[in-house]
């Protein structure tokens, strides 16, 4: 499924660099064209000759060949690739990527690349858990990069924990899923909601929530990568769209989101309600800023439109997917919403699970369907969660 794909493989200075050899072999076996770029610190860990032999291409590790004078054009390399895979990605290189630093050929190619970026970190337990590393990974994922999470096991330091580079077979399987099956939604139309809604109190204040929109945007990118024509209706969000197959519509309130969804509802093959829509809004939005006068301020609220339930009653063959963020009796409440709103799939996550919910680059979900089946997944990046959800959707669409 990777046949003919052009892959830049970045290899950084880690003991896990030895895995670049079997990884290269597997990629070439799948029919990919592999160009390896090593950082200077990677050279002591594995010889370029080994990787050059396996990839059938000279390994690059500097801007120019000092003997021949040949310049290795980082811009041309970035434009050549269908994917940039960095495995192993060290804490140092991740920090450079996140900060826009450019002091070697790999970082220069990264800044020039227009293709999807896949990061497979490898480092010791405490380095991976350090707040700076976590912040860098969250920032990179916020830019749409894919995280191939490290595995848990015995580390080179002798400690046990998360930080081991994913096995080459795991990395290749992830690439196959992301790149090799890019047409399974071709000809399909997908409508997705994302982010929070802001319900105005006055010109400067609103009722909202902590949703960043990252899950909805990840779903939009994943669906577009599978060939779908995507309409993304987003509440206020700092997330950015990168795929040209996504049409983004920005809204603010629950009513605006409902109207935008209703306008595009007909003719959709699938609708994914991933937004965190406010349940209530102020009955009256003041025209002027509310002044601080009394010790207490009483607000009168009214229900907003339930977008999923309302459109569910108007269902005309669309596959409908909802999200449920729960804090107690999670499965029972999610199953109840699934039936009540006429949905086909429900994606459940709980605020009781560390790393799940709002404000995280990761999520931990359980996917339920109307037949009573449910499938729980471990904590993953939201991009990986989006791939899992899309797999269920594709199976449902193909079965109908």
């Amino acid at each position: 499924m990777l046949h003919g794909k052009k892959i830049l493989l970045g290899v950084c200075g880690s003991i896990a660099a030895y895995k670049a050899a079997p990884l290269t072999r597997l990629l070439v076996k799948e029919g990919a064209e592999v160009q390896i770029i090593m950082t200077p610190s990677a050279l002591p860990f594995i010889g370029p000759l080994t990787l050059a032999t396996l990839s059938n291409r000279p390994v690059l590790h500097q801007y120019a060949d000092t003997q021949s004078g040949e310049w290795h054009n980082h811009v041309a390399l970035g434009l050549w690739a269908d994917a940039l895979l960095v495995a192993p990605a060290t804490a140092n290189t991740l920090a450079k990527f996140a900060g826009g630093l450019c002091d070697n050929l790999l970082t220069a190619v990264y800044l020039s690349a227009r293709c999807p970026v896949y990061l497979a970190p490898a480092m010791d337990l405490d380095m991976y858990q350090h707040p700076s590393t976590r912040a860098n990974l969250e920032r990179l994922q916020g830019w749409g990069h894919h995280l191939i999470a490290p595995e848990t096991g015995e580390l080179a330091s002798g400690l046990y924990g998360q930080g081991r580079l994913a096995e080459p077979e795991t990395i290749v399987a992830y690439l196959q899923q992301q790149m090799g099956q890019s047409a399974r939604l071709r000809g399909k139309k997908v409508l997705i909601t994302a982010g929070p809604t802001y319900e105005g109190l006055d010109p400067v204040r609103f009722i909202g929530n902590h949703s960043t929109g990252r899950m909805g945007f990840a779903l939009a990118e994943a669906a577009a990568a599978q060939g779908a024509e995507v309409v993304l209706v987003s509440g206020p969000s700092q997330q950015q769209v990168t795929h040209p197959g996504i049409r983004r519509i920005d809204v603010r309130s629950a009513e605006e989101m409902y109207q935008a969804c209703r306008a595009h509802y007909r003719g959709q093959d699938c609708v994914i309600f991933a937004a965190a829509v406010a349940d209530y809004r102020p009955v009256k939005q003041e025209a002027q800023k509310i002044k601080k006068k009394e010790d207490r301020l009483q607000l009168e609220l009214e229900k907003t439109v339930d977008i999923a339930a309302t459109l569910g009653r108007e269902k005309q063959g669309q596959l409908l997917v909802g999200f449920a963020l729960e804090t107690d009796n999670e499965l029972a409440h999610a199953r109840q919403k699934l039936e009540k709103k006429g949905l086909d799939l429900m994606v459940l996550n709980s605020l009781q699970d560390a790393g799940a919910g709002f404000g995280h680059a990761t999520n931990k979900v359980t996917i339920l369907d109307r037949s009573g089946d449910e499938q729980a997944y471990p904590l993953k990046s939201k991009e990986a969660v989006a791939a899992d959800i899309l797999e269920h959707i594709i199976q449902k669409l193909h079965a109908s």
Side-chain angles (χ1 to χ4, degrees):
M1 289 184 287
L2 297 179
H3 183 79
K5 299 294 185 181
K6 300 179 178 67
I7 298 177
L8 288 172
L9 174 58
V11 181
C12 304
S14 163
I15 187 62
Y18 78 91
K19 289 186 179 180
L23 175 58
T24 301
R25 183 177 177 276
L26 287 174
L27 290 171
V28 171
K29 187 177 180 180
E30 291 294 324
E33 297 179 46
V34 182
Q35 175 61 67
I36 296 172
I37 303 173
M38 300 178 70
T39 63
S41 60
L43 297 174
F45 289 97
I46 185 170
L49 180 60
T50 298
L51 297 179
T53 302
L54 292 170
S55 65
N56 297 312
R57 288 173 175 266
V59 171
L60 309 180
H61 57 86
Q62 52 191 355
Y63 288 105
D65 189 314
T66 55
Q67 293 184 343
S68 67
E70 180 184 359
W71 177 43
H72 302 142
N73 189 329
H74 60 280
V75 175
L77 286 165
L79 294 175
W80 171 82
D82 294 310
L84 171 59
L85 167 64
V86 185
T90 59
N92 184 47
T93 294
L94 292 173
K96 290 178 180 180
F97 285 175
L101 300 182
C102 180
D103 63 351
N104 59 48
L105 181 60
L106 178 59
T107 52
V109 169
Y110 165 75
L111 290 177
S112 302
R114 297 182 183 178
C115 59
V117 176
Y118 300 86
L119 304 170
M123 62 197 74
D124 207 72
L125 169 67
D126 296 312
M127 296 175 69
Y128 186 67
Q129 296 296 338
H130 195 277
S132 62
T133 304
R134 306 308 301 171
N136 288 334
L137 283 170
E138 287 198 12
R139 187 176 196 188
L140 292 167
Q141 288 180 271
W143 294 343
H145 298 343
H146 302 265
L147 174 66
I148 305 175
E151 298 177 356
T152 298
E154 187 175 348
L155 305 172
S157 65
L159 297 177
Y160 185 92
Q162 189 176 18
R164 289 176 51 150
L165 178 66
E167 291 301 318
E169 293 80 5
T170 301
I171 295 173
V172 171
Y174 187 89
L175 289 178
Q176 287 174 325
Q177 183 182 43
Q178 294 294 317
M179 299 177 63
Q181 301 179 13
S182 59
R184 292 189 295 165
L185 288 178
R186 182 163 295 163
K188 301 295 186 181
K189 294 184 178 181
V190 179
L191 173 64
I192 301 174
T193 66
T197 63
Y198 288 173
E199 311 302 325
L201 294 170
D202 61 25
V204 298
R205 301 184 181 94
F206 59 85
I207 296 174
N209 56 61
H210 297 296
S211 173
T212 64
R214 186 176 302 195
M215 190 69 252
F217 276 71
L219 282 163
E221 295 287 345
Q226 293 279 5
E229 179 183 331
V230 178
V231 174
L232 175 65
V233 180
S234 174
S237 174
Q238 297 299 313
Q239 303 295 313
Q240 297 297 318
V241 166
T242 61
H243 198 287
I246 301 172
R247 178 187 175 190
R248 176 174 177 173
I249 300 174
D250 289 309
V251 298
R252 185 173 178 85
S253 67
E255 181 62 26
E256 291 175 356
M257 182 170 284
Y258 168 64
Q259 294 298 337
C261 288
R262 189 181 187 110
H264 293 86
Y265 187 61
R266 286 183 178 274
Q268 298 294 326
D269 296 288
C270 177
V271 183
I272 306 174
F273 301 104
V277 183
D279 294 324
Y280 292 89
R281 67 184 176 197
V283 171
K284 180 182 179 183
Q285 180 174 338
E286 300 295 338
Q288 304 296 326
K289 179 182 176 183
I290 300 172
K291 300 298 183 182
K292 184 167 62 175
K293 296 178 181 179
E294 307 297 332
D295 291 338
R296 293 186 178 183
L297 175 66
Q298 186 170 353
L299 298 174
E300 185 178 2
L301 304 178
E302 62 183 359
K303 277 188 177 181
T304 60
V305 62
D306 189 324
I307 299 174
T310 302
L311 294 181
R313 290 192 291 269
E314 302 175 13
K315 184 176 180 180
Q316 295 180 333
Q318 299 95 337
L319 180 74
L320 303 184
V321 182
F323 274 70
L325 176 62
E326 302 292 343
T327 58
D328 66 294
N329 297 324
E330 291 93 341
L331 285 171
H333 287 155
R335 182 68 66 184
Q336 184 180 31
K337 289 181 180 179
L338 175 70
E339 299 296 333
K340 182 179 179 181
K341 298 185 180 186
L343 305 177
D344 298 285
L345 293 172
M346 177 65 79
V347 182
L348 165 67
N349 57 279
S350 171
L351 286 180
Q352 304 297 331
D353 294 322
F358 297 147
H360 298 284
T362 54
N363 208 354
K364 183 179 180 181
V365 305
T366 299
I367 301 177
L368 300 82
D369 68 19
R370 294 184 67 83
S371 68
D373 292 338
E374 59 188 58
Q375 185 167 353
Y377 292 89
L379 188 70
K380 298 184 178 183
S381 71
K382 286 186 174 176
E383 288 72 22
V385 172
D388 291 334
I389 296 169
L390 258 294
E391 191 61 36
H392 281 261
I393 291 172
I394 290 168
Q395 291 178 10
K396 288 284 187 183
L397 288 174
H398 287 178
S400 61

